[in-house]
Amino acid sequence: CALGTMVWNFSKCGIRHDRYFELTAAECVRPNRLRSLAPRNFQNTMIAYSRMMHWHEKYVDAMARGIVRLLDAHDPRYPKTDKHVLFSYTCKDGSEVPADAFRITSLTVILKAFQALRTGAPDHPVQLRRNAERCCASMARYTRRSVQSSPKFMREDGDACDFFTVLCRVTLDERLDVGHLLPQGSDLDAVLVSAPEAKAAQLQRLMQSARQVSSG
């Protein structure tokens, strides 16, 4: 989606263009457009809006809903999205290329964006908060499924650990109720596989604090 590429370019250059960001958000929330967005589009636009701290309530809500639709329908054993779930790209020669599926690293970037935008703040609508929480739950489920079944070329060392580290920080912010999504027991052991020792120790420390917040 060229719209997503352009807002990403503006943010990468540190150029504010509020009117363009508003127009892009208005286009992205249209149902037909939202259904056509690929995982990379969600990631790039979320990076752009969070980097520029450009808040658009309907855009963030739409992103939360759209991400869930793609994640819940995808089998993380496969690197490409099913064309029955998302339209494929059409090349100049007429051939179709399915869009790349989400990776755990993409979900970590998106979760950081939700956090940077303070999604779920007290002055935000209840429905927005609920949709963001559903999105976090979907991302956590997908991360667990990916840990279990994604091929190595779809993974990076410590990627699941990184995702749940950010989820801990979101829990500690107390804007979204997501503490119950954190791993424990054998689930945590699987998340820590391949994670550098320092990152694994950091996650375990943050989880102790996050559980206190959740239980309180």
Side-chain angles (χ1 to χ4, degrees):
C1 174
L3 288 170
T5 301
M6 285 301 296
V7 290
W8 186 88
N9 286 337
F10 279 123
S11 71
K12 181 69 174 177
C13 296
I15 299 172
R16 292 205 69 86
H17 197 323
D18 290 341
R19 183 165 181 267
Y20 187 81
F21 273 62
E22 286 291 305
L23 291 172
T24 298
E27 175 63 20
C28 286
V29 304
R30 288 197 311 110
N32 285 347
R33 174 65 71 181
L34 183 61
R35 284 194 296 271
S36 73
L37 295 180
R40 183 174 297 177
N41 303 141
F42 285 102
Q43 175 184 308
N44 287 347
T45 58
M46 287 294 288
I47 288 173
Y49 281 78
S50 62
R51 184 183 282 159
M52 302 307 293
M53 292 304 292
H54 187 106
W55 176 253
H56 191 289
E57 179 186 302
K58 291 182 178 180
Y59 161 80
V60 175
D61 184 78
M63 294 300 101
R65 290 183 285 108
I67 290 166
V68 170
R69 187 183 75 84
L70 292 185
L71 287 178
D72 289 354
H74 184 68
D75 184 338
R77 292 178 298 171
Y78 304 107
K80 298 288 187 177
T81 56
D82 192 304
K83 64 181 181 181
H84 297 297
V85 176
L86 181 67
F87 300 118
S88 299
Y89 294 107
T90 302
C91 302
K92 289 183 177 179
D93 62 4
S95 61
E96 291 187 359
V97 178
D100 289 337
F102 280 110
R103 307 292 200 265
I104 294 176
T105 51
S106 303
L107 303 184
T108 303
V109 168
I110 291 169
L111 187 57
K112 285 180 178 179
F114 278 128
Q115 184 188 26
L117 289 168
R118 302 184 71 253
T119 306
D123 58 331
H124 291 175
V126 172
Q127 192 59 50
L128 169 60
R129 190 176 305 116
R130 288 174 179 167
N131 285 335
E133 289 170 349
R134 290 190 188 105
C135 187
C136 289
S138 180
M139 290 194 288
R141 288 194 302 269
Y142 186 88
T143 296
R144 288 178 167 90
R145 299 202 316 272
S146 184
V147 165
Q148 295 170 356
S149 61
S150 289
K152 287 185 178 180
F153 70 84
M154 290 181 65
R155 300 284 312 281
E156 294 184 14
D157 287 347
D159 55 0
C161 181
D162 289 340
F163 174 81
F164 284 108
T165 295
V166 177
L167 192 64
C168 278
R169 295 194 173 109
V170 172
T171 302
L172 291 170
D173 288 340
E174 298 188 69
R175 288 190 288 270
L176 298 174
D177 181 12
V178 294
H180 61 286
L181 302 174
L182 296 172
Q184 43 189 324
S186 59
D187 190 21
L188 176 59
D189 293 338
V191 165
L192 295 179
V193 171
S194 82
E197 186 176 337
K199 285 188 175 183
Q202 180 187 43
L203 173 59
Q204 290 172 313
R205 287 195 303 271
L206 284 171
M207 283 183 60
Q208 290 180 350
S209 300
R211 287 197 181 105
Q212 291 176 358
V213 168
S214 296
S215 61

